[in-house]
Amino acid sequence: MTTEQLVAQIYKKKSFLCIGLDTDLEKVPSHLLEEEDPIFAFNKAIIDATHDICVSYKPNIAFYEAYGIKGWQALEKTIRYLNENFPEQFTIADAKRGDIGNTSTRYAKAFLEDLQFDSVTIAPYMGKDSVEPFLAFKDKHTILLALTSNVGAFDFQTKLVDGKELYKTVLETSKSYENSENLMYVVGATKAEYLKEIRQIVPDSFLLVPGVGAQGGSLKDVCENGMNDKVGLLINSSRGIIYASAESDFADAARHKALELQRQMAELL
Amino acid sequence: MTTEQLVAQIYKKKSFLCIGLDTDLEKVPSHLLEEEDPIFAFNKAIIDATHDICVSYKPNIAFYEAYGIKGWQALEKTIRYLNENFPEQFTIADAKRGDIGNTSTRYAKAFLEDLQFDSVTIAPYMGKDSVEPFLAFKDKHTILLALTSNVGAFDFQTKLVDGKELYKTVLETSKSYENSENLMYVVGATKAEYLKEIRQIVPDSFLLVPGVGAQGGSLKDVCENGMNDKVGLLINSSRGIIYASAESDFADAARHKALELQRQMAELL
């Protein structure tokens, strides 16, 4: 999917909502556990109930890997279901990978080519040759961790490198990578005050913003500081939407929560 | 496996060799492609031919993920084969994961509990709460990326943070993490000159050193600068051993290459 197609979807749906599929068998409604593939059954119900009010789905790969082969089968079924039925959705493999060149090429192939995700999240620590294999895929997107929303973000990301926070060095350095037009960035909503400075470094890039809702960030603050003339924001919510109810009405409850966010987004667009 | 058990194996075998199982179907001997599971068939042959002269195996998870469910099945078979037949081997899931706390807990469960690896490699960018879920597993080890052997290492890892390279800040900060006694570190052999300084920060920790051989580092330099009184080194070689021959003699050729390294190690111990 091109960035232009994503922007068009955002204006069409008046939504820049990304729903995180952090599917956990200990949290899904118990009646689903009788299904042959409860993870996929849950995801399908969430997708069917929300696809018209969000523009993106983000399976968190750890939750699938934790179930071994069954988890991978559920992941494959989920991305196939999305690509076949809702190809207008921007799909994100939240994998946070990153390794030396020939290894990153493997991960890129797995997520962008075989599973056909539109994008994958990547950790920057190993630098240029760990990121560029992902950037090489045309009309695919590499979402680089810049400033994350967890407490550990202060261990290294905000440390000063030549008088400037490390995450800013990551943003600036990554702009020199080959095919850097395919970059997006993860910026946690708990640090909305930093978004203005981030926008000075990457004015045109899309930012994937987790941490609205469950982790405490404010949607209005994020938009005021982070929106650009092509919106440039994907706001992710995972647990706040998909676990809105643990009963048989879970999909309706998820839609209700997603709709609350989408209505706020429509006003902010 | 405890660190003491690993050290005992090193002295018993006069080897601190780790063999990287970066198994690539485009590089394995063509006669193996007729097998039901060529990845496992290749790994089993390599393991059978080398287990008495190495102390560790390190499957590079990207190579398995690239083959989807078949890759995961091959990974499961490989680790089960190792744990059932060669429980004295220190097994490393080279996954380079790292995410917010509840997600890292998932990855930790997948690799350390379900697959029963002895250790997993982790990227430090997201800090404390992304690393500690791995450290919580008793007698398991978290191998944190410090200074990697690729060119991208110079993008961020060697940048000065308060006058000190970022990788040194990673080493120092990680020592304050809960259960930090379960930490080991990745330090590339292409930077052997840095090992002396690294040893001042983490005198007692094991270092996993890639980049001897194919990536150009010298075993002697690494030992002179990086060995401690409990050896404290695992030297990884992947392609240089497992792809020594692409013919039917591949396992013998791998043993021959591994033996060359093991003999050098015996002299250096």
Side-chain angles (χ1 to χ4, degrees):
Chain A
M1 180 182 287
T2 66
T3 306
E4 289 67 30
Q5 289 170 322
L6 171 59
V7 174
Q9 283 297 314
I10 289 174
Y11 284 118
K12 183 178 169 192
K13 291 179 175 171
K14 297 188 188 348
S15 172
F16 41 100
L17 178 61
C18 170
I19 297 181
L21 299 172
D22 297 15
T23 307
D24 179 347
L25 289 182
E26 289 176 17
K27 288 188 183 163
V28 307
S30 55
H31 74 277
L32 287 181
L33 300 178
E34 292 156 22
E35 299 272 339
E36 194 192 330
D37 185 340
I39 300 172
F40 175 66
F42 180 83
N43 288 351
K44 181 178 178 302
I46 295 285
I47 293 165
D48 289 345
T50 57
H51 67 89
D52 59 318
I53 51 175
C54 70
V55 293
S56 178
Y57 289 99
K58 179 176 76 63
N60 182 332
I61 306 304
F63 283 73
Y64 300 84
E65 273 192 13
Y67 297 111
I69 287 161
K70 283 191 176 170
W72 270 89
Q73 285 170 332
L75 179 66
E76 281 192 7
K77 275 195 253 178
T78 301
I79 185 66
R80 199 184 309 133
Y81 184 73
L82 281 167
N83 284 336
E84 285 176 2
N85 297 281
F86 307 106
E88 73 281 7
Q89 290 287 340
F90 183 76
T91 54
I92 303 172
D94 193 3
K96 300 191 175 71
R97 301 295 194 262
D99 207 312
I100 60 170
N102 75 326
T103 302
S104 270
T105 299
R106 295 277 150 171
Y107 282 127
K109 182 181 173 296
F111 291 111
L112 301 179
E113 193 174 289
D114 297 344
L115 291 176
Q116 293 201 47
F117 276 93
D118 290 311
S119 66
V120 58
T121 59
I122 300 298
Y125 192 72
M126 293 181 70
K128 185 182 171 81
D129 56 305
S130 72
V131 180
E132 287 186 340
F134 295 93
L135 293 174
F137 285 77
K138 191 173 151 53
D139 296 337
K140 301 283 185 176
H141 306 266
T142 303
I143 310 179
L144 201 61
L145 301 184
L147 185 59
T148 57
S149 58
N150 62 323
V151 292
F154 298 102
D155 274 7
F156 311 116
Q157 296 168 24
T158 56
K159 285 278 187 291
L160 295 184
V161 176
D162 299 328
K164 204 164 44 189
E165 292 89 344
L166 175 62
Y167 73 87
K168 291 185 185 168
T169 305
V170 167
L171 291 169
E172 278 173 6
T173 304
S174 67
K175 287 166 72 177
S176 69
Y177 293 169
E178 197 170 349
N179 301 309
S180 64
E181 68 277 9
N182 293 333
L183 278 170
M184 299 181 174
Y185 300 94
V186 172
V187 181
T190 50
K191 321 262 170 18
E193 71 269 28
Y194 296 154
L195 275 166
K196 202 164 279 185
E197 288 169 53
I198 288 170
R199 269 294 170 224
Q200 292 177 349
I201 307 172
V202 287
D204 301 323
S205 304
F206 255 84
L207 307 179
L208 171 63
V209 184
V212 168
Q215 291 173 62
S218 146
L219 181 62
K220 193 158 162 284
D221 287 351
V222 170
C223 291
E224 278 176 7
N225 294 288
M227 205 175 267
N228 66 16
D229 61 1
K230 285 181 180 169
V231 188
L233 291 173
L234 284 173
I235 304 289
N236 181 75
S237 178
S238 305
R239 287 164 285 167
I241 291 177
I242 68 173
Y243 300 129
S245 163
E247 308 300 323
S248 59
D249 68 340
F250 71 100
D252 284 346
R255 180 177 176 82
H256 184 74
K257 282 284 176 191
L259 209 48
E260 278 178 20
L261 277 168
Q262 185 270 324
R263 282 174 183 155
Q264 292 177 56
M265 289 176 178
E267 285 180 23
L268 291 160
L269 274 172
Chain B
M1 179 182 289
T2 66
T3 307
E4 290 67 29
Q5 289 171 322
L6 171 59
V7 174
Q9 283 296 314
I10 289 173
Y11 283 119
K12 184 178 168 191
K13 292 178 173 169
K14 296 190 192 343
S15 172
F16 41 101
L17 177 62
C18 170
I19 297 181
L21 299 172
D22 298 14
T23 306
D24 178 348
L25 289 182
E26 289 176 16
K27 288 189 183 161
V28 307
S30 55
H31 73 277
L32 287 181
L33 300 179
E34 293 156 20
E35 299 272 338
E36 193 192 331
D37 184 340
I39 301 173
F40 175 66
F42 179 82
N43 288 352
K44 181 178 178 301
I46 295 284
I47 293 165
D48 289 344
T50 56
H51 66 89
D52 60 317
I53 52 175
C54 71
V55 293
S56 179
Y57 289 99
K58 179 176 75 64
N60 182 333
I61 306 303
F63 284 73
Y64 301 83
E65 273 191 12
Y67 298 111
I69 286 162
K70 282 192 176 169
W72 270 89
Q73 285 170 332
L75 179 67
E76 280 193 6
K77 275 195 252 178
T78 301
I79 185 66
R80 198 183 309 134
Y81 184 73
L82 280 166
N83 283 336
E84 284 176 2
N85 297 282
F86 307 106
E88 73 280 7
Q89 290 288 340
F90 182 76
T91 53
I92 303 171
D94 194 4
K96 300 193 175 69
R97 299 296 193 261
D99 207 313
I100 60 170
N102 75 327
T103 302
S104 270
T105 299
R106 295 277 150 171
Y107 283 126
K109 182 180 173 297
F111 290 111
L112 301 178
E113 192 175 288
D114 297 343
L115 291 175
Q116 294 201 47
F117 276 93
D118 291 311
S119 66
V120 58
T121 59
I122 301 298
Y125 192 73
M126 293 182 69
K128 185 184 171 80
D129 57 307
S130 72
V131 180
E132 287 186 342
F134 295 92
L135 293 173
F137 286 76
K138 191 172 150 55
D139 296 337
K140 301 283 184 176
H141 305 265
T142 303
I143 311 180
L144 201 61
L145 301 185
L147 185 59
T148 57
S149 58
N150 62 323
V151 292
F154 298 101
D155 273 8
F156 311 116
Q157 297 168 26
T158 56
K159 285 279 186 292
L160 294 184
V161 175
D162 298 328
K164 206 164 44 192
E165 292 90 344
L166 175 62
Y167 73 87
K168 291 185 184 168
T169 304
V170 167
L171 292 169
E172 279 173 6
T173 304
S174 68
K175 287 167 73 177
S176 69
Y177 293 170
E178 198 170 350
N179 300 308
S180 64
E181 68 278 9
N182 294 333
L183 278 170
M184 300 180 173
Y185 300 95
V186 173
V187 181
T190 48
K191 320 263 169 21
E193 71 269 28
Y194 296 154
L195 275 166
K196 203 164 277 184
E197 288 170 53
I198 288 170
R199 269 292 170 227
Q200 292 178 349
I201 307 172
V202 288
D204 301 324
S205 304
F206 256 84
L207 306 179
L208 172 63
V209 184
V212 167
Q215 292 174 59
S218 146
L219 180 62
K220 193 158 162 286
D221 287 351
V222 170
C223 291
E224 278 176 8
N225 294 288
M227 205 176 266
N228 67 16
D229 61 0
K230 286 181 180 169
V231 188
L233 291 173
L234 284 173
I235 305 288
N236 181 75
S237 178
S238 304
R239 288 164 283 168
I241 291 178
I242 68 174
Y243 300 127
S245 162
E247 308 299 325
S248 59
D249 67 341
F250 72 100
D252 283 347
R255 180 178 177 81
H256 184 74
K257 282 286 176 190
L259 209 49
E260 278 179 20
L261 276 168
Q262 184 271 323
R263 281 175 183 154
Q264 291 177 56
M265 288 176 179
E267 284 180 24
L268 291 160
L269 274 172

